[in-house]
Structure formats: structure tokens, C-alpha cells
Amino acid sequence: MRVSKDIRDKAVDYSFDSIKYICEEIGPRESGMPNERKAQEWLKDQLLQNGWADEAAIEPFTVSRHGLVGFTKIVSVMLAIAAAVQFAAYFAGAAASLAANIVTIVLGVVALTITVAEFLMYKPFIDPLLPKTESGNVYAKYHSSGETKRRIVFSGHCDSAYEWTLMKIKPAFMITVIVMCVVGVLATFALCITNMVRGETAVWSLVVTSAFIPFYIMLWFFCTFKVVVPGANDNLTGVLASVAVLKCLKESGIRFEHTEVAVLLTGSEEAGLRGAFAWAKKHKQEIMSDGTETVFVGLETLRDWDHLNIYNRDLTGTVAHDAGAVKLLDKASAACGRPLKHFSVFFGASDAAAVTKEGLRATCLAGMDPTPADYYHNVKDTADNMDRKTFALGLDIAIEAAEIFDRDGAPE
């Protein structure tokens, strides 16, 4: 790596000080709300005023900030009503009983559809029905000295999450509630169909469907919109590591002849990767038509040393990242003395998933305990709960990836 250890160490110091400043002086950064923009304005000014970027701008987009996790409130009510309708199915006559069973099935199907679309696939399924605000992405570029033939984009998200209340109680508790809700819906489907075939609703069927109502009610408390977490690790570590790449290059006097190094600081990742989708859609045609080889590297939660991995699959395991981009990080991590394993985001997604979904080359480097970590989406994610060693290695790998990419491009 051409960047000296002294410059790298000073960049790590700067990053940790900046994360503390953002957390304490700007505060939690709800997607599409003023604090998210304040943090982005401050970061943009840092990039420009220090000369780490040759250009930087905030690109706005519209977001429904409650879409991703707000579904839990809607689904909770729908499932509770679906179960309650079974009382009508039991006490009503045959015709009304048939109608009640159909209503229960329809409500369950809609609830599952919303859950899969919003929470598992990150599609803006119910977003059009929800209030809108303006979010934005900071897109900064450190130009090549000559003709630009390659472009590498490092990215982290500036917003922080609503606190997941059930996760805060205990991760296993949250998972249990979700699993029991799914089991309840499937069991109810089977019982409703049985009831319709039999022409009546048996009392044991009513008892079983009612037994899941407490879990549907608990789903309402999945998260709270009243508490937005500090988000020091998730994902100011990724944001400042991306900024630090440009800082290290500039202060080392390194400017690649044919490779542009860019930084994308997205908004509204916690609202369903909305910023990454907006950036990819806006720049896709330009990237695919200008002949510039482009690779996107998402940097996400550089916190847990034993769980620092290269992500070759994403979006609940349904999306395969570009093999060449993954190999680029393989080479970079090996060059840094710690070859990393490949891993999959088996529950949730990173911004890299949105970029891959739009047909661009992307991968993700992340270091978070997937069980998940005890600070995940709660108020423990503070500036005094970070890990310098993991952050520094993530930064080293990113810088090394930029140097390898400039020299050799991304493997096929």
C-alpha cells in the first residue's frame, strides 16, 4: 500500500473524532429528515474544504421514511383483525362463516405480501401510501490526472435506524415473534381452508388461531419511531472510511492517472436502500455508456473483527454480487495480510444490493456479528462502542482495492 501508516493512522483518528462529533453535535439521523441532511452537508464541506474531493454535491430524491419497518404496524393490525374475524366464523351461520374465512385468508395473504415485498425484498410496496420527505446522497469525486478509464466508488450510509424495540429486549425474542407470526398465518390458512371444506368452524380451530394473537400484537412493538439510534457503527464507520480513502490519497500525493475515486454517502438506507437505488438509477446510463469501468464497494459497519467479511450475496441471499468486484476485495484483503471469507446477507440488505439490482458491478465489505450484534439498531450503537483495529483494516482494504483496481482493473 502506497499510503504510509502515519497518514493512515491520522485518518483513523480523524474518522473517530468525526463520528463522535456527528453523533454528539448533530445527533441521530432519521432517514429523510433534517439531521440526515445536516450530517451530509458537514461531510460535503469537509471533503471540499480540505481538498479531498475535486467536486461534491448533494443529489436529492423523495423517500417514504416509514416504508421499510412501518409495515410492522400495518401487518400487526391486519393479522390481529384476521384472527378476530374467526370468532365471527365460529358464531355465524354457514354463509357468514364462509365469508369470514375468506376475509381471514385475504388479510393474511396481503400481510405476507407486504412483509415479503418491503422487509425481505426492499421493494417500495406500501411507500406510495405513506408521507414523503426529501432525502439525498452526497456524491464526491477525486479526479484522475489524465483520461478517466476506470472509476471505483466507496460508499456508506449517513442515516441511522429507528430503534428495534424487540431486538433491544433480546434478538432471539424478536426472531421468535416473527417466526410465530409466520407460523400463525400459515396455520390459519390451513384451518380456514379446512373449515370451508367442512362447512363449519370448529372450536379447536378458533382456539388455535386465537393463540397467535399475542404475537401479532407484539409485532406492533417491533420498532419505535420515537427513538432514532446514534448509528456510530451502522453506518458512520462506513461513511468515514469512505471519506478517509480520499483523505489518505490526497495527503499522500496520490492521484491515479486513469482512475477516478468517488465517494457516495447515501441517505435513507434504513428506509430500504432508497438512496442507493436513487443513485444507481440516476447514474446507471452514464456509467454503462461512457466506457469507464466502474466498481461499487459498499462499506458497512466496520466494527466486529471476527466478522469482517466480503459479501458475495445480499438482499436476504437473493442477489449475487459481481464476481470480479468480490475478487478485487479478495486480492486487497490478501495484500493487507488478512484474506477474508465470503459471506451472505441472509437477513436484510446493504446498499450494494441496490446497485447490483440495477445492473452495476458491486460488492460489500462489512464487519458486524450477524446473530446480530448487541448494538444493532439500538441506543448502544454509540461513538464509544467502536473498534479501531477493525475500522483500520477496513480502511486499509479499501485503499488497497483502489490501488489494485487502478493497476489491473477488476477481475472478470
Side-chain angles (χ1 to χ4, degrees), residues 15-48:
S15 297
F16 274 46
D17 289 343
S18 297
I19 292 171
K20 183 175 181 180
Y21 172 82
I22 293 172
C23 287
E24 295 181 358
E25 300 301 322
I26 297 176
R29 300 159 309 284
E30 184 177 2
S31 303
M33 295 300 280
N35 277 5
E36 177 192 70
R37 179 56 62 92
K38 287 179 184 177
Q40 291 181 320
E41 291 283 3
W42 185 81
L43 289 160
K44 176 175 71 72
D45 290 345
Q46 289 285 297
L47 286 162
L48 293 175

mmCIF file of all heavy atoms in Angstrom, residues 15-48:
data_model
loop_
_atom_site.group_PDB
_atom_site.id
_atom_site.type_symbol
_atom_site.label_atom_id
_atom_site.label_comp_id
_atom_site.label_asym_id
_atom_site.label_seq_id
_atom_site.Cartn_x
_atom_site.Cartn_y
_atom_site.Cartn_z
ATOM 1 N N SER A 15 -11.366 10.083 11.575
ATOM 2 C CA SER A 15 -12.652 9.411 11.382
ATOM 3 C C SER A 15 -13.372 9.211 12.707
ATOM 4 O O SER A 15 -14.571 9.490 12.829
ATOM 5 C CB SER A 15 -12.433 8.061 10.698
ATOM 6 O OG SER A 15 -11.874 8.229 9.408
ATOM 7 N N PHE A 16 -12.651 8.750 13.732
ATOM 8 C CA PHE A 16 -13.271 8.519 15.022
ATOM 9 C C PHE A 16 -13.723 9.834 15.665
ATOM 10 O O PHE A 16 -14.797 9.905 16.269
ATOM 11 C CB PHE A 16 -12.315 7.764 15.948
ATOM 12 C CG PHE A 16 -12.379 6.267 15.786
ATOM 13 C CD1 PHE A 16 -12.386 5.681 14.523
ATOM 14 C CD2 PHE A 16 -12.463 5.438 16.881
ATOM 15 C CE1 PHE A 16 -12.460 4.310 14.363
ATOM 16 C CE2 PHE A 16 -12.540 4.051 16.743
ATOM 17 C CZ PHE A 16 -12.537 3.489 15.475
ATOM 18 N N ASP A 17 -12.922 10.882 15.514
ATOM 19 C CA ASP A 17 -13.319 12.199 16.034
ATOM 20 C C ASP A 17 -14.559 12.709 15.301
ATOM 21 O O ASP A 17 -15.460 13.307 15.914
ATOM 22 C CB ASP A 17 -12.180 13.206 15.871
ATOM 23 C CG ASP A 17 -11.014 12.934 16.820
ATOM 24 O OD1 ASP A 17 -11.205 12.187 17.806
ATOM 25 O OD2 ASP A 17 -9.915 13.464 16.559
ATOM 26 N N SER A 18 -14.621 12.481 13.998
ATOM 27 C CA SER A 18 -15.756 12.937 13.200
ATOM 28 C C SER A 18 -17.030 12.191 13.561
ATOM 29 O O SER A 18 -18.115 12.781 13.632
ATOM 30 C CB SER A 18 -15.457 12.772 11.706
ATOM 31 O OG SER A 18 -14.368 13.588 11.321
ATOM 32 N N ILE A 19 -16.905 10.889 13.772
ATOM 33 C CA ILE A 19 -18.069 10.100 14.167
ATOM 34 C C ILE A 19 -18.603 10.592 15.511
ATOM 35 O O ILE A 19 -19.820 10.738 15.697
ATOM 36 C CB ILE A 19 -17.715 8.605 14.225
ATOM 37 C CG1 ILE A 19 -17.445 8.077 12.813
ATOM 38 C CG2 ILE A 19 -18.838 7.791 14.889
ATOM 39 C CD1 ILE A 19 -16.888 6.677 12.758
ATOM 40 N N LYS A 20 -17.703 10.874 16.428
ATOM 41 C CA LYS A 20 -18.123 11.389 17.735
ATOM 42 C C LYS A 20 -18.806 12.742 17.580
ATOM 43 O O LYS A 20 -19.845 13.005 18.200
ATOM 44 C CB LYS A 20 -16.912 11.517 18.665
ATOM 45 C CG LYS A 20 -17.275 11.978 20.072
ATOM 46 C CD LYS A 20 -16.056 11.975 20.986
ATOM 47 C CE LYS A 20 -16.458 12.411 22.401
ATOM 48 N NZ LYS A 20 -15.292 12.418 23.315
ATOM 49 N N TYR A 21 -18.243 13.603 16.737
ATOM 50 C CA TYR A 21 -18.851 14.917 16.503
ATOM 51 C C TYR A 21 -20.258 14.780 15.929
ATOM 52 O O TYR A 21 -21.206 15.426 16.400
ATOM 53 C CB TYR A 21 -17.977 15.734 15.546
ATOM 54 C CG TYR A 21 -18.641 17.018 15.100
ATOM 55 C CD1 TYR A 21 -18.615 18.153 15.903
ATOM 56 C CD2 TYR A 21 -19.327 17.080 13.886
ATOM 57 C CE1 TYR A 21 -19.252 19.321 15.509
ATOM 58 C CE2 TYR A 21 -19.964 18.250 13.479
ATOM 59 C CZ TYR A 21 -19.921 19.365 14.302
ATOM 60 O OH TYR A 21 -20.559 20.514 13.907
ATOM 61 N N ILE A 22 -20.408 13.946 14.914
ATOM 62 C CA ILE A 22 -21.722 13.786 14.276
ATOM 63 C C ILE A 22 -22.735 13.230 15.269
ATOM 64 O O ILE A 22 -23.871 13.711 15.360
ATOM 65 C CB ILE A 22 -21.615 12.889 13.031
ATOM 66 C CG1 ILE A 22 -20.799 13.591 11.941
ATOM 67 C CG2 ILE A 22 -23.012 12.532 12.500
ATOM 68 C CD1 ILE A 22 -20.466 12.715 10.751
ATOM 69 N N CYS A 23 -22.332 12.213 16.038
ATOM 70 C CA CYS A 23 -23.253 11.595 16.993
ATOM 71 C C CYS A 23 -23.667 12.567 18.099
ATOM 72 O O CYS A 23 -24.837 12.588 18.519
ATOM 73 C CB CYS A 23 -22.616 10.350 17.615
ATOM 74 S SG CYS A 23 -22.514 8.935 16.513
ATOM 75 N N GLU A 24 -22.714 13.367 18.577
ATOM 76 C CA GLU A 24 -22.987 14.204 19.739
ATOM 77 C C GLU A 24 -23.488 15.601 19.382
ATOM 78 O O GLU A 24 -24.314 16.170 20.107
ATOM 79 C CB GLU A 24 -21.727 14.313 20.609
ATOM 80 C CG GLU A 24 -21.315 12.966 21.219
ATOM 81 C CD GLU A 24 -20.079 13.069 22.098
ATOM 82 O OE1 GLU A 24 -19.505 14.189 22.203
ATOM 83 O OE2 GLU A 24 -19.685 12.040 22.688
ATOM 84 N N GLU A 25 -22.992 16.170 18.280
ATOM 85 C CA GLU A 25 -23.364 17.541 17.940
ATOM 86 C C GLU A 25 -24.526 17.614 16.945
ATOM 87 O O GLU A 25 -25.336 18.535 17.009
ATOM 88 C CB GLU A 25 -22.146 18.288 17.377
ATOM 89 C CG GLU A 25 -20.973 18.370 18.338
ATOM 90 C CD GLU A 25 -21.341 19.078 19.638
ATOM 91 O OE1 GLU A 25 -22.096 20.058 19.603
ATOM 92 O OE2 GLU A 25 -20.854 18.634 20.708
ATOM 93 N N ILE A 26 -24.587 16.663 16.029
ATOM 94 C CA ILE A 26 -25.709 16.621 15.078
ATOM 95 C C ILE A 26 -26.791 15.681 15.588
ATOM 96 O O ILE A 26 -27.974 16.016 15.589
ATOM 97 C CB ILE A 26 -25.228 16.200 13.675
ATOM 98 C CG1 ILE A 26 -24.256 17.253 13.133
ATOM 99 C CG2 ILE A 26 -26.423 16.011 12.730
ATOM 100 C CD1 ILE A 26 -23.643 16.904 11.793
ATOM 101 N N GLY A 27 -26.374 14.523 16.059
ATOM 102 C CA GLY A 27 -27.309 13.596 16.683
ATOM 103 C C GLY A 27 -27.802 12.498 15.755
ATOM 104 O O GLY A 27 -27.314 12.345 14.630
ATOM 105 N N PRO A 28 -28.780 11.720 16.217
ATOM 106 C CA PRO A 28 -29.358 10.657 15.389
ATOM 107 C C PRO A 28 -29.898 11.234 14.091
ATOM 108 O O PRO A 28 -30.374 12.378 14.052
ATOM 109 C CB PRO A 28 -30.471 10.092 16.272
ATOM 110 C CG PRO A 28 -30.035 10.418 17.670
ATOM 111 C CD PRO A 28 -29.365 11.751 17.563
ATOM 112 N N ARG A 29 -29.859 10.432 13.027
ATOM 113 C CA ARG A 29 -30.140 10.952 11.690
ATOM 114 C C ARG A 29 -31.246 10.141 11.015
ATOM 115 O O ARG A 29 -30.981 9.226 10.224
ATOM 116 C CB ARG A 29 -28.841 10.921 10.858
ATOM 117 C CG ARG A 29 -27.766 11.783 11.501
ATOM 118 C CD ARG A 29 -26.366 11.438 11.071
ATOM 119 N NE ARG A 29 -26.047 10.019 11.179
ATOM 120 C CZ ARG A 29 -25.776 9.399 12.314
ATOM 121 N NH1 ARG A 29 -25.797 10.051 13.466
ATOM 122 N NH2 ARG A 29 -25.494 8.104 12.312
ATOM 123 N N GLU A 30 -32.473 10.480 11.326
ATOM 124 C CA GLU A 30 -33.627 9.802 10.747
ATOM 125 C C GLU A 30 -33.644 10.000 9.237
ATOM 126 O O GLU A 30 -33.370 11.099 8.732
ATOM 127 C CB GLU A 30 -34.901 10.368 11.369
ATOM 128 C CG GLU A 30 -36.178 9.687 10.929
ATOM 129 C CD GLU A 30 -37.401 10.257 11.638
ATOM 130 O OE1 GLU A 30 -37.238 11.206 12.439
ATOM 131 O OE2 GLU A 30 -38.511 9.745 11.381
ATOM 132 N N SER A 31 -33.964 8.942 8.516
ATOM 133 C CA SER A 31 -33.991 8.994 7.054
ATOM 134 C C SER A 31 -34.887 10.126 6.568
ATOM 135 O O SER A 31 -36.035 10.263 7.004
ATOM 136 C CB SER A 31 -34.507 7.669 6.490
ATOM 137 O OG SER A 31 -33.725 6.581 6.927
ATOM 138 N N GLY A 32 -34.351 10.926 5.642
ATOM 139 C CA GLY A 32 -35.149 11.969 5.024
ATOM 140 C C GLY A 32 -35.540 13.107 5.945
ATOM 141 O O GLY A 32 -36.477 13.850 5.645
ATOM 142 N N MET A 33 -34.823 13.292 7.037
ATOM 143 C CA MET A 33 -35.140 14.346 7.997
ATOM 144 C C MET A 33 -33.929 15.269 8.178
ATOM 145 O O MET A 33 -32.823 14.979 7.712
ATOM 146 C CB MET A 33 -35.581 13.720 9.313
ATOM 147 C CG MET A 33 -36.884 12.924 9.196
ATOM 148 S SD MET A 33 -38.288 13.932 8.633
ATOM 149 C CE MET A 33 -38.735 14.750 10.172
ATOM 150 N N PRO A 34 -34.114 16.432 8.845
ATOM 151 C CA PRO A 34 -33.075 17.465 8.888
ATOM 152 C C PRO A 34 -31.693 17.007 9.348
ATOM 153 O O PRO A 34 -30.684 17.440 8.781
ATOM 154 C CB PRO A 34 -33.666 18.515 9.833
ATOM 155 C CG PRO A 34 -35.147 18.396 9.633
ATOM 156 C CD PRO A 34 -35.377 16.927 9.457
ATOM 157 N N ASN A 35 -31.612 16.135 10.372
ATOM 158 C CA ASN A 35 -30.286 15.745 10.860
ATOM 159 C C ASN A 35 -29.498 14.929 9.843
ATOM 160 O O ASN A 35 -28.268 15.009 9.801
ATOM 161 C CB ASN A 35 -30.411 14.971 12.175
ATOM 162 C CG ASN A 35 -30.531 15.894 13.369
ATOM 163 O OD1 ASN A 35 -30.620 17.108 13.222
ATOM 164 N ND2 ASN A 35 -30.524 15.325 14.560
ATOM 165 N N GLU A 36 -30.199 14.139 9.046
ATOM 166 C CA GLU A 36 -29.516 13.414 7.977
ATOM 167 C C GLU A 36 -28.865 14.405 7.024
ATOM 168 O O GLU A 36 -27.687 14.254 6.654
ATOM 169 C CB GLU A 36 -30.503 12.536 7.218
ATOM 170 C CG GLU A 36 -29.896 11.785 6.037
ATOM 171 C CD GLU A 36 -30.945 11.168 5.133
ATOM 172 O OE1 GLU A 36 -31.658 11.932 4.429
ATOM 173 O OE2 GLU A 36 -31.072 9.934 5.134
ATOM 174 N N ARG A 37 -29.606 15.449 6.646
ATOM 175 C CA ARG A 37 -29.070 16.453 5.734
ATOM 176 C C ARG A 37 -27.942 17.264 6.380
ATOM 177 O O ARG A 37 -26.950 17.599 5.724
ATOM 178 C CB ARG A 37 -30.198 17.379 5.258
ATOM 179 C CG ARG A 37 -29.751 18.492 4.304
ATOM 180 C CD ARG A 37 -29.030 17.969 3.069
ATOM 181 N NE ARG A 37 -29.862 17.122 2.254
ATOM 182 C CZ ARG A 37 -30.614 17.557 1.235
ATOM 183 N NH1 ARG A 37 -30.606 18.844 0.914
ATOM 184 N NH2 ARG A 37 -31.350 16.724 0.543
ATOM 185 N N LYS A 38 -28.078 17.587 7.678
ATOM 186 C CA LYS A 38 -27.018 18.331 8.368
ATOM 187 C C LYS A 38 -25.707 17.557 8.340
ATOM 188 O O LYS A 38 -24.636 18.128 8.101
ATOM 189 C CB LYS A 38 -27.427 18.606 9.816
ATOM 190 C CG LYS A 38 -28.496 19.673 9.983
ATOM 191 C CD LYS A 38 -28.857 19.854 11.455
ATOM 192 C CE LYS A 38 -29.990 20.844 11.631
ATOM 193 N NZ LYS A 38 -30.384 20.970 13.076
ATOM 194 N N ALA A 39 -25.785 16.260 8.608
ATOM 195 C CA ALA A 39 -24.574 15.434 8.580
ATOM 196 C C ALA A 39 -23.982 15.410 7.173
ATOM 197 O O ALA A 39 -22.751 15.488 6.999
ATOM 198 C CB ALA A 39 -24.896 14.019 9.052
ATOM 199 N N GLN A 40 -24.825 15.289 6.173
ATOM 200 C CA GLN A 40 -24.335 15.236 4.797
ATOM 201 C C GLN A 40 -23.721 16.560 4.365
ATOM 202 O O GLN A 40 -22.693 16.580 3.675
ATOM 203 C CB GLN A 40 -25.476 14.839 3.857
ATOM 204 C CG GLN A 40 -25.918 13.392 4.034
ATOM 205 C CD GLN A 40 -27.033 13.009 3.088
ATOM 206 O OE1 GLN A 40 -27.952 13.790 2.833
ATOM 207 N NE2 GLN A 40 -26.964 11.804 2.553
ATOM 208 N N GLU A 41 -24.332 17.671 4.775
ATOM 209 C CA GLU A 41 -23.764 18.988 4.460
ATOM 210 C C GLU A 41 -22.391 19.145 5.106
ATOM 211 O O GLU A 41 -21.445 19.650 4.481
ATOM 212 C CB GLU A 41 -24.707 20.098 4.945
ATOM 213 C CG GLU A 41 -26.014 20.211 4.176
ATOM 214 C CD GLU A 41 -25.855 20.892 2.830
ATOM 215 O OE1 GLU A 41 -24.710 21.237 2.457
ATOM 216 O OE2 GLU A 41 -26.871 21.074 2.134
ATOM 217 N N TRP A 42 -22.272 18.690 6.354
ATOM 218 C CA TRP A 42 -20.996 18.802 7.052
ATOM 219 C C TRP A 42 -19.927 17.951 6.369
ATOM 220 O O TRP A 42 -18.794 18.397 6.167
ATOM 221 C CB TRP A 42 -21.167 18.361 8.511
ATOM 222 C CG TRP A 42 -19.941 18.554 9.339
ATOM 223 C CD1 TRP A 42 -19.513 19.721 9.926
ATOM 224 C CD2 TRP A 42 -18.948 17.552 9.655
ATOM 225 N NE1 TRP A 42 -18.321 19.499 10.594
ATOM 226 C CE2 TRP A 42 -17.955 18.187 10.448
ATOM 227 C CE3 TRP A 42 -18.819 16.202 9.361
ATOM 228 C CZ2 TRP A 42 -16.841 17.503 10.943
ATOM 229 C CZ3 TRP A 42 -17.707 15.518 9.845
ATOM 230 C CH2 TRP A 42 -16.740 16.157 10.628
ATOM 231 N N LEU A 43 -20.292 16.742 5.988
ATOM 232 C CA LEU A 43 -19.350 15.848 5.316
ATOM 233 C C LEU A 43 -18.949 16.387 3.944
ATOM 234 O O LEU A 43 -17.767 16.327 3.562
ATOM 235 C CB LEU A 43 -19.961 14.457 5.185
ATOM 236 C CG LEU A 43 -20.093 13.679 6.496
ATOM 237 C CD1 LEU A 43 -21.133 12.563 6.357
ATOM 238 C CD2 LEU A 43 -18.742 13.093 6.919
ATOM 239 N N LYS A 44 -19.901 16.923 3.216
ATOM 240 C CA LYS A 44 -19.592 17.515 1.906
ATOM 241 C C LYS A 44 -18.611 18.671 2.067
ATOM 242 O O LYS A 44 -17.638 18.791 1.300
ATOM 243 C CB LYS A 44 -20.876 18.007 1.228
ATOM 244 C CG LYS A 44 -20.645 18.722 -0.102
ATOM 245 C CD LYS A 44 -21.955 19.082 -0.767
ATOM 246 C CE LYS A 44 -22.674 20.207 -0.043
ATOM 247 N NZ LYS A 44 -22.001 21.521 -0.228
ATOM 248 N N ASP A 45 -18.843 19.514 3.072
ATOM 249 C CA ASP A 45 -17.935 20.636 3.310
ATOM 250 C C ASP A 45 -16.540 20.153 3.693
ATOM 251 O O ASP A 45 -15.539 20.748 3.273
ATOM 252 C CB ASP A 45 -18.493 21.537 4.421
ATOM 253 C CG ASP A 45 -19.744 22.304 3.980
ATOM 254 O OD1 ASP A 45 -19.994 22.362 2.758
ATOM 255 O OD2 ASP A 45 -20.469 22.811 4.856
ATOM 256 N N GLN A 46 -16.455 19.098 4.490
ATOM 257 C CA GLN A 46 -15.157 18.542 4.858
ATOM 258 C C GLN A 46 -14.401 18.070 3.617
ATOM 259 O O GLN A 46 -13.194 18.321 3.471
ATOM 260 C CB GLN A 46 -15.344 17.361 5.818
ATOM 261 C CG GLN A 46 -15.804 17.753 7.210
ATOM 262 C CD GLN A 46 -14.691 18.365 8.034
ATOM 263 O OE1 GLN A 46 -13.685 17.720 8.336
ATOM 264 N NE2 GLN A 46 -14.846 19.623 8.378
ATOM 265 N N LEU A 47 -15.083 17.405 2.718
ATOM 266 C CA LEU A 47 -14.449 16.897 1.502
ATOM 267 C C LEU A 47 -13.928 18.033 0.625
ATOM 268 O O LEU A 47 -12.809 17.957 0.090
ATOM 269 C CB LEU A 47 -15.450 16.051 0.712
ATOM 270 C CG LEU A 47 -15.760 14.660 1.280
ATOM 271 C CD1 LEU A 47 -17.051 14.111 0.688
ATOM 272 C CD2 LEU A 47 -14.599 13.699 1.010
ATOM 273 N N LEU A 48 -14.721 19.088 0.493
ATOM 274 C CA LEU A 48 -14.343 20.188 -0.393
ATOM 275 C C LEU A 48 -13.332 21.132 0.247
ATOM 276 O O LEU A 48 -12.339 21.520 -0.371
ATOM 277 C CB LEU A 48 -15.593 20.960 -0.822
ATOM 278 C CG LEU A 48 -16.574 20.197 -1.726
ATOM 279 C CD1 LEU A 48 -17.815 21.028 -1.985
ATOM 280 C CD2 LEU A 48 -15.903 19.820 -3.046
#
